[in-house]
């Protein structure tokens, strides 16, 4: 049985008042159910991690730097993330690959830093709308996987999130068949590269406009082990039904 994970990415949303959503979410965690991870903005990490100790919610950062330390004004290292009490970090989100021009090589370095700090990396990969229209989806996904995933992956240090860029924040969602095709492809690639035990143990999350009303359908796919959720993770009232749908899947 693979770990099921419902992860929320708050992006650049929320100040102290948003921490009330963690309290509101806590009663919706399911005993022996999915792991719930919330990735708030960096200034909230420490307080979120302190609050989450009692509830069992896991806290993650949205990014970390690709070096362990140094003259990088404004950046945050993986060790700093871990020091807040957070245990996960998102790396390679398409908004970072795009707005910050992060390459697969940069993302690979970030994953290594995350592992060195004892964090679980949530590695994001996904094709653009143009890639999808040109039938290049699997080539792009395969290239991102080999380029941004280091060799030292274990069964527990990584989660992979398939996030088609054209589905993020747009309300557009791939068909279940399209999701299944990509997730099965990722699983097969992981098994080929890392062997059956490790390749089969890695949770694969789908991300891109997951909402309470489409979660149940998306979680029907065998190789979908959860979701990385943006907009619908900001309020506990939206995220709770997604967690419930994953628990029931
Ligand atoms: C995301 O940013 O990772 C994401 C999936 O966003 P949304 O759920 O809002 O599409």
């Amino acid at each position: 049985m693979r770990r099921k994970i419902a992860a929320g990415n708050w992006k650049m949303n929320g100040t102290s008042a948003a921490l009330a959503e963690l309290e509101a979410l806590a009663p919706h965690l399911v005993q022996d159910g999915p792991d719930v991870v919330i990735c708030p903005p960096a200034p909230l990490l420490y307080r979120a991690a302190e609050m989450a100790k009692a509830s069992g919610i896991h806290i993650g950062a949205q990014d970390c730097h690709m070096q362990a330390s140094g003259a990088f004004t404004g950046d945050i290292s993986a060790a700093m993330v871990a020091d807040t009490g957070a245990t996960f970090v998102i790396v390679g989100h398409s908004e970072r690959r795009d707005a910050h021009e992060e390459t697969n090589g940069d993302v690979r370095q970030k994953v290594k830093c995350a592992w060195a700090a004892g964090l679980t990396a949530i590695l994001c990969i996904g094709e653009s709308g143009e890639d999808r229209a040109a039938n290049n989806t699997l080539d792009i996904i395969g290239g991102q996987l080999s380029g941004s995933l280091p060799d030292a992956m274990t069964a527990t240090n990584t989660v992979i999130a398939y996030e088609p860029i054209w589905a993020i924040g747009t309300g557009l969602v791939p068909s279940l068949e399209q999701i299944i095709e990509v997730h099965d492809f990722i699983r097969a690639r992981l098994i080929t590269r890392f062997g059956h035990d490790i390749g089969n143990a890695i949770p694969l999350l789908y991300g891109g406009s997951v909402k309470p009303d489409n979660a149940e359908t998306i979680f029907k796919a065998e190789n979908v082990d959860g979701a990385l959720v943006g907009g619908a993770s900001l309020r506990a009232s939206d995220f709770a039904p997604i967690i419930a749908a994953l628990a029931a899947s």
Side-chain angles (χ1 to χ4, degrees):
M1 273 284 280
R2 269 189 302 273
R3 219 174 157 190
K4 290 182 184 178
I5 300 176
N9 173 13
W10 285 4
K11 310 193 187 190
M12 200 172 73
N13 295 294
T15 53
S16 305
L19 293 170
E21 295 298 326
L22 287 181
E23 267 167 10
L25 193 60
H28 297 281
L29 266 64
V30 179
Q31 178 123 34
D32 300 323
D35 286 335
V36 175
V37 183
I38 293 291
C39 303
L44 297 181
L45 280 173
Y46 175 75
R47 275 178 294 168
E50 285 294 303
M51 283 175 67
K53 276 179 188 162
S55 65
I57 295 173
H58 303 274
I59 300 300
Q62 298 172 15
D63 182 45
C64 66
H65 198 268
M66 68 180 105
Q67 306 269 352
S69 63
F72 303 106
T73 302
D75 282 313
I76 299 168
S77 73
M80 292 170 187
V81 170
D83 191 49
T84 67
T87 49
F88 286 77
V89 60
I90 297 171
V91 284
H93 191 282
S94 60
E95 287 156 12
R96 304 248 3 140
R97 289 180 187 260
D98 182 25
H100 298 265
E101 298 180 355
E102 290 183 6
T103 64
N104 282 331
D106 297 338
V107 175
R108 191 183 185 94
Q109 280 305 117
K110 289 181 179 218
V111 174
K112 286 185 182 172
C113 285
W115 291 347
L119 299 169
T120 299
I122 303 177
L123 170 63
C124 299
I125 54 177
E127 83 284 5
S128 67
E130 293 76 41
D131 297 328
R132 168 66 65 179
N135 247 336
N136 286 337
T137 299
L138 298 186
D139 280 350
I140 295 292
I141 297 298
Q144 289 176 335
L145 261 186
S146 53
S148 48
L149 187 55
D151 292 330
M153 188 177 79
T154 68
T156 54
N157 65 7
T158 305
V159 173
I160 292 175
Y162 166 55
E163 299 206 302
I165 299 168
W166 52 275
I168 294 178
T170 60
L172 300 172
V173 182
S175 68
L176 186 59
E177 290 69 30
Q178 288 172 323
I179 293 174
I180 289 171
E181 181 189 34
V182 177
H183 280 245
D184 288 358
F185 173 82
I186 295 170
R187 179 73 63 213
R189 281 289 171 104
L190 293 179
I191 290 171
T192 302
R193 181 166 161 202
F194 296 98
H196 199 266
D197 288 354
I198 293 178
N200 252 325
I202 299 299
L204 305 186
L205 312 186
Y206 167 77
S209 295
V210 176
K211 306 286 177 210
D213 63 0
N214 60 20
E216 187 186 340
T217 302
I218 292 167
F219 296 146
K220 285 193 173 125
E222 188 194 328
N223 276 313
V224 172
D225 306 305
L228 178 55
V229 183
S233 70
L234 292 173
R235 298 204 191 304
S237 55
D238 290 328
F239 202 36
I242 296 174
I243 296 168
L246 183 59
S249 69

